[in-house]
Every structure is written in structure tokens, then in C-alpha cells.
Amino acid sequence: MQLVRGSHNLRPAHRGCVATIGNFDGVHLGHQAVFAALKTRAQAMGLPSLVITFEPQPLEVFRPTEAPARLTRLREKLATIADCGIDRVLLLEFGAQLASQSADDFIQQVLVDGLDVRHLYVGDDFRFGKGRSGDFELLQRAGAEHGFGVESLHSVIHLEERVSSTGIRQALAA
């Protein structure tokens, strides 16, 4: 797996991919389902699979005293993503600059100009951009304008409960 640290390190060779965006803390069954769909679509399109993730995680910047404990350290997360067969990870530093970037600018600068994303998967509750102003509908409009598909993946349910990092943290605490 190739690790690209920061959008400033994107090169023309990184353009054209099938991507997903998220924190992916713990790389649990829900994340693994996203990665499986990502890999299947990437193979069908003859493109690399790419995961966009953040360091630190956004809540650690916005509310550092209230941020939940991590399920995995960054090194473990990256190793687990690699074990899932993902081709590339774009690791974005989440700080004041990225936090203040509008959703439209993120789409244009990272997804379109930087990666030339051809298909994008996001979770059913995905929000992004300054003030969490970006959502699935905005991505769909941008995809139609820039020529990439956007798909929302529904939560994975296990034993009648949604699989989530929050749920795993609660189970560990209990």
C-alpha cells in the first residue's frame, strides 16, 4: 500500500481512483464492508483503490478534552487498511487549515484537482467541510458536474445493532 502524506504530495500518478473518506478508527466490520465495495469497484474500473483519512481525527482538534479514545493508533490503522488490500491512503493533516476549508473547496482541490476521483463511497452519515456543511447531496451534485459517481453505503448491522466505532467504545467501556 502506498501512503501519501498530505495533498501537497499528490502527483499526476495519483490521479484517477476510486475513493472513500473517513476516520476509520478501529477498521471494524463496517469499514471493512466499505473497503470491500471500494476494491470491487476499483477493480471493475481498472483503477486503484484509495482511502482518505485524517490525522489527528477531527474531534481531537475541535473538542480535544471530549474526543473519544482511539480504538487504534495511526500505525495500526494504516497496517489494517493495508491488510484489507487497499492500494493507497491519502493521509490529510487535520488542523486549522483543513477545518476552515469549505466543502466546495475540498471537493475541487482534493477530489477533483488532486485525485481526479472517478467514484466515491461515503458513509450514510458523512459530513465534511467547514461547519460540516458538505453532505451526500452536495457530493452527488459535484459528481454530476465533474464526472464522478457517488455512492452512500449503509451501516452494517450485526446482531441487530449498527456497527460503529462509538458502539465498540461503549462495549469496551462496559
Side-chain angles (χ1 to χ4, degrees):
M1 180 187 79
Q2 181 184 25
L3 175 62
V4 179
R5 290 183 176 268
S7 58
H8 62 281
N9 285 317
L10 288 172
R11 302 293 178 253
H14 298 125
R15 293 179 52 76
C17 63
V18 177
T20 187
I21 307 172
N23 288 323
F24 304 111
D25 187 25
V27 190
H28 54 62
L29 292 175
H31 299 145
Q32 292 171 32
V34 171
F35 296 162
L38 178 73
K39 287 184 349 182
T40 298
R41 177 61 65 107
Q43 289 170 350
M45 295 179 77
L47 295 168
S49 57
L50 181 129
V51 170
I52 302 168
T53 193
F54 310 98
E55 182 62 28
Q57 293 181 32
L59 278 178
E60 294 171 342
V61 172
F62 290 125
R63 298 191 313 246
T65 59
E66 300 171 33
R70 289 188 185 210
L71 296 173
T72 54
R73 292 181 291 232
L74 176 61
R75 185 177 303 265
E76 295 166 323
K77 174 168 69 171
L78 293 173
T80 306
I81 292 172
D83 289 345
C84 289
I86 298 301
D87 297 310
R88 295 181 184 140
V89 169
L90 173 59
L91 182 63
L92 298 177
E93 178 183 358
F94 196 91
Q97 183 176 0
L98 189 56
S100 66
Q101 188 176 41
S102 73
D104 288 326
D105 285 348
F106 181 86
I107 291 168
Q108 187 65 49
Q109 293 170 16
V110 177
L111 301 181
V112 176
D113 296 339
L115 293 170
D116 187 22
V117 167
R118 307 289 172 79
H119 197 83
L120 181 67
Y121 287 100
V122 293
D124 51 11
D125 58 354
F126 181 67
R127 302 293 296 217
F128 69 105
K130 183 178 181 180
R132 297 173 45 90
S133 62
D135 59 12
F136 181 72
E137 288 75 27
L138 176 64
L139 286 168
Q140 281 189 308
R141 288 193 304 273
E145 179 183 341
H146 296 288
F148 62 87
V150 181
E151 228 173 303
S152 175
L153 293 173
H154 300 290
S155 297
V156 170
I157 305 298
H158 181 71
L159 300 176
E160 299 183 23
E161 289 194 39
R162 178 180 182 264
V163 177
S164 69
S165 298
T166 300
I168 292 169
R169 282 187 201 92
Q170 290 170 345
L172 288 170

